[in-house]
Amino acid sequence: MADERIVIYPFEQYKDFQELRYGWGLARLQKQKKYPERKDLPDYEFYTFDKSSVKKLKAKISGWVSSDVVIYIVGHCNAGSRFLSRRDDPSGQTIAANALADELLNLGLSTDFAGKIKVYACNSAVPDGKKFSFAFWFAAEMRALKYLNCEISGYANVVSNSYVGEHKVSADEGVIDKLSEGDVEAVNKYRAKNSRESMNIPPRLVELIEARRNK
């Protein structure tokens, strides 16, 4: 399987999803034109949890095992939260870490999947005191469902829905708005990948979650 980049917005469509799809799609197109020799810049494919989109998503990821696939889970998050949400959403639509893991299983994502799952949400890798981060709980739930081969990560700062120049960026509140495409050094410093953290889950916690799920 060739490289794939899948962006999942685990809610019904909303204005922040439209902004993200436009920004990411435009940035990827510009990058492909700038580096025509690169073969590692596939188009992003965008999916929501609307009924019609879920059907297409299930057909897309069912049975996947490839290590060449990156799945982005996109939403809004606070430090130490077990929930993702839609931005500025009066309906209060949210999804919990365990529910998101269940959804991926129900969509047919193979437990042998060996790619990467990135929770692209502000502070998704940030705990709050004794409260673990969303990415931590999501990874723990995925391990309990026997997803043992994929890398699961979150972000330890605020992330931007748009690109600055060629890159997704992540920085402290207010910094992103001050970055300009011409300031290459600053943009590279705040590339989102620099704040991405992989989740390592204690085996004992996985056992406890498995026991809870098997009750």
Side-chain angles (χ1 to χ4, degrees), residues 30-212:
Q30 291 173 340
K31 203 167 187 179
Q32 289 168 338
K33 288 182 177 179
K34 185 175 181 179
Y35 305 104
E37 73 284 357
R38 288 184 59 177
K39 306 303 181 184
D40 61 337
L41 297 172
D43 291 335
Y44 291 110
E45 296 183 40
F46 298 89
Y47 299 89
T48 70
F49 276 8
D50 288 289
K51 185 179 293 186
S52 60
S53 188
V54 164
K55 185 176 181 179
K56 294 175 183 177
L57 177 58
K58 187 170 185 177
K60 181 71 178 181
I61 72 174
S62 182
W64 262 358
V65 297
S66 175
S67 61
D68 296 326
V69 174
V70 178
I71 297 174
Y72 292 90
I73 307 293
V74 178
H76 297 273
C77 191
N78 294 316
S81 176
R82 292 198 190 199
F83 295 88
L84 288 183
S85 66
R86 302 197 307 188
R87 186 183 69 189
D88 302 329
D89 179 11
S91 74
Q93 200 173 116
T94 63
I95 189 166
N98 62 318
L100 179 58
D102 288 339
E103 288 288 351
L104 292 180
L105 182 67
N106 293 335
L107 284 166
L109 184 66
S110 171
T111 53
D112 292 325
F113 175 64
K116 297 178 180 178
I117 303 177
K118 303 178 181 181
V119 183
Y120 192 81
C122 296
N123 301 310
S124 59
V126 180
D128 182 14
K130 295 182 178 181
K131 296 179 180 178
F132 293 117
S133 69
F134 179 89
F136 179 91
W137 281 117
F138 171 63
E141 295 286 349
M142 291 290 282
R143 299 308 185 215
L145 290 174
K146 305 303 182 185
Y147 287 93
L148 306 179
N149 299 322
C150 56
E151 177 188 336
I152 300 173
S153 59
Y155 291 80
N157 221 321
V158 175
V159 297
S160 173
N161 266 0
S162 58
Y163 276 61
V164 178
E166 298 178 357
H167 307 300
K168 297 185 290 294
V169 295
S170 175
D172 291 334
E173 195 80 45
V175 171
I176 291 174
D177 294 336
K178 298 176 182 179
L179 294 175
S180 66
E181 294 189 14
D183 193 349
V184 176
E185 184 176 345
V187 171
N188 285 335
K189 177 181 178 181
Y190 294 114
R191 289 182 66 176
K193 70 177 186 179
N194 295 334
S195 76
R196 185 165 60 87
E197 296 184 3
S198 294
M199 297 294 107
N200 296 308
I201 309 302
R204 179 55 182 160
L205 177 58
V206 175
E207 291 173 2
L208 291 172
I209 294 174
E210 288 176 339
R212 184 205 72 205

